[in-house]
Amino acid sequence: MSSSEPATEKAKNDRALRFYRDVLGLERLHYGMWLPDDPLTMEALQAAQKRYEDFLIESVPDGVESILDVGCGTGELCLNLKKKGYSVEGLSPDINQKAVFAEKVDAPFHFTKFEDSKLDGGYDLIIMSESCQYIPIDKVFEISQKLLNPGGHLMICDYFVVDQDAGELSKSGHDYNEFLRVAEFGPFQIVSRRDITPDIRKSLEIASDWADKILLGADILTEKFRQRNPFLWKIACWFGRGKYEKAMSQRVLLDADKFAAAKKYEFFLFRLVD
Ligand SMILES: C[S@@+](CC[C@H](N)C(=O)[O-])C[C@H]1O[C@@H](n2cnc3c(N)ncnc32)[C@H](O)[C@@H]1O
């Protein structure tokens, strides 16, 4: 084990990401890019995720040969970049993704957090697709600078917080202005950017739809029990109230309008200028 690898008991084991892959059958772990008339179906979600991935691949600058995919998830982007002829490496601190990547992609995998990594560098492009939010902003730029070849590129596509007072919605994602401020003071220049917030909203709408169906299912399944045992039901509700309240407070995370008011999902391509 290299010194940068997390000890097995400390390795990430992101259950939400496992749920997407193992239960929903999604190989890609990001929001995707939807078309306005897409129906809210699983097939449309998968097509939206493929569209987003194609957009990232089309955005790879000319002349790039070697790519490091930071927070590579299940390795789908690496696999498709490799098919296009790029030399790729994946990085993730998640123990399940390590195993899935090994099965799927014939390429080096770095089992570590980016901020703890000790890589040799020499990359033409570093990609962070919905993984930048997990890495301290200063480390995103500082380490990328060390690992990139002169004139190399850093591609970041992720959501950021624009309203710090939006409760649960403000809790995940870097502060948008802080991110831009740190980027501006470093040796990177923005060469292209695109706000894709409108393109991701249907992922929230479909998730909200599923959440409603799960609640309705629970209501139907407990109906008989509630009618026959009203007192026992009251006790069960009392014990479960903390979890229920938490789930309800997090329901706002699936509200597409509130997301668009509090957050911005943006694509950035930076170039190392000195
Ligand atoms: C939402 S998933 C995105 C996966 C993939 N890039 C995609 O677009 O489908 C976030 C990824 O970031 C990884 N990650 C979390 N913390 C990280 C860190 N500190 N350094 C590097 N990757 C990290 C997770 O293990 C996961 O692979």
Side-chain angles (χ1 to χ4, degrees):
M1 188 173 89
S2 97
S3 58
S4 59
E5 283 190 7
T8 310
E9 68 278 8
K10 282 198 180 154
K12 267 183 166 272
N13 178 357
D14 194 322
R15 288 181 179 78
L17 299 184
R18 273 172 67 201
F19 179 81
Y20 296 144
R21 181 172 193 269
D22 299 344
V23 181
L24 300 181
L26 296 171
E27 284 300 318
R28 301 173 173 95
L29 308 175
H30 51 72
Y31 282 59
M33 282 168 85
W34 296 71
L35 298 177
D37 294 333
D38 279 345
L40 293 183
T41 62
M42 184 58 99
E43 292 72 30
L45 169 60
Q46 284 167 335
Q49 291 187 313
K50 175 80 173 66
R51 193 173 298 114
Y52 166 95
E53 188 179 285
D54 289 345
F55 166 67
L56 296 190
I57 295 176
E58 283 156 19
S59 305
V60 172
D62 290 344
V64 165
E65 289 177 10
S66 58
I67 303 177
L68 174 67
D69 182 7
V70 173
C72 59
T74 70
E76 202 63 22
L77 177 61
C78 281
L79 185 69
N80 288 308
L81 285 165
K82 201 167 179 236
K83 283 186 190 155
K84 295 263 175 198
Y86 297 107
S87 153
V88 295
E89 294 181 19
L91 179 151
S92 171
D94 189 292
I95 196 145
N96 294 296
Q97 291 165 21
K98 179 185 181 200
V100 176
F101 189 97
E103 277 170 27
K104 197 195 277 190
V105 197
D106 181 16
F109 177 90
H110 305 281
F111 180 41
T112 174
K113 289 183 176 182
F114 185 63
E115 59 273 35
D116 298 338
S117 63
K118 295 185 172 52
L119 311 186
D120 292 336
Y123 305 104
D124 299 320
L125 172 67
I126 292 176
I127 300 179
M128 296 183 187
S129 161
E130 236 177 83
S131 57
C132 169
Q133 60 180 279
Y134 301 102
I135 305 163
I137 304 178
D138 54 337
K139 296 290 174 198
V140 167
F141 293 102
E142 193 185 301
I143 300 177
S144 297
Q145 180 188 1
K146 286 187 191 144
L147 296 181
L148 283 170
N149 289 327
H153 289 81
L154 171 63
M155 184 187 287
I156 293 177
C157 199
D158 213 330
Y159 57 77
F160 300 87
V161 178
V162 289
D163 177 2
Q164 286 297 349
D165 299 319
E168 287 292 330
L169 278 161
S170 308
K171 287 186 182 166
S172 67
H174 287 311
D175 180 276
Y176 184 67
N177 292 324
E178 173 70 4
F179 172 79
L180 289 177
R181 210 167 19 249
V182 177
E184 197 183 328
F185 282 106
F188 286 95
Q189 194 177 57
I190 296 176
V191 288
S192 69
R193 64 198 285 183
R194 176 172 161 189
D195 181 354
I196 64 164
T197 317
D199 309 83
I200 65 99
R201 64 173 292 137
K202 285 200 174 204
S203 281
L204 295 165
E205 287 172 11
I206 195 171
S208 179
D209 208 36
W210 287 337
D212 286 344
K213 285 187 178 134
I214 289 168
L215 285 178
L216 178 64
D219 197 53
I220 293 170
L221 290 174
T222 55
E223 191 178 61
K224 212 168 187 179
F225 181 84
R226 279 184 281 131
Q227 283 166 355
R228 288 191 180 165
N229 310 283
F231 182 63
L232 271 182
W233 179 248
K234 265 196 180 138
I235 294 175
C237 287
W238 188 84
F239 277 112
R241 74 192 188 290
K243 282 201 171 73
Y244 178 79
E245 279 156 14
K246 187 164 182 234
M248 285 301 114
S249 75
Q250 295 203 332
R251 190 70 179 73
V252 69
L253 297 175
L254 304 180
D255 185 317
D257 289 329
K258 291 198 169 122
F259 181 99
K263 287 179 151 159
K264 207 185 250 290
Y265 200 126
E266 197 156 329
F267 164 88
F268 293 95
L269 183 66
F270 296 93
R271 190 164 68 85
L272 188 59
V273 285
D274 55 54

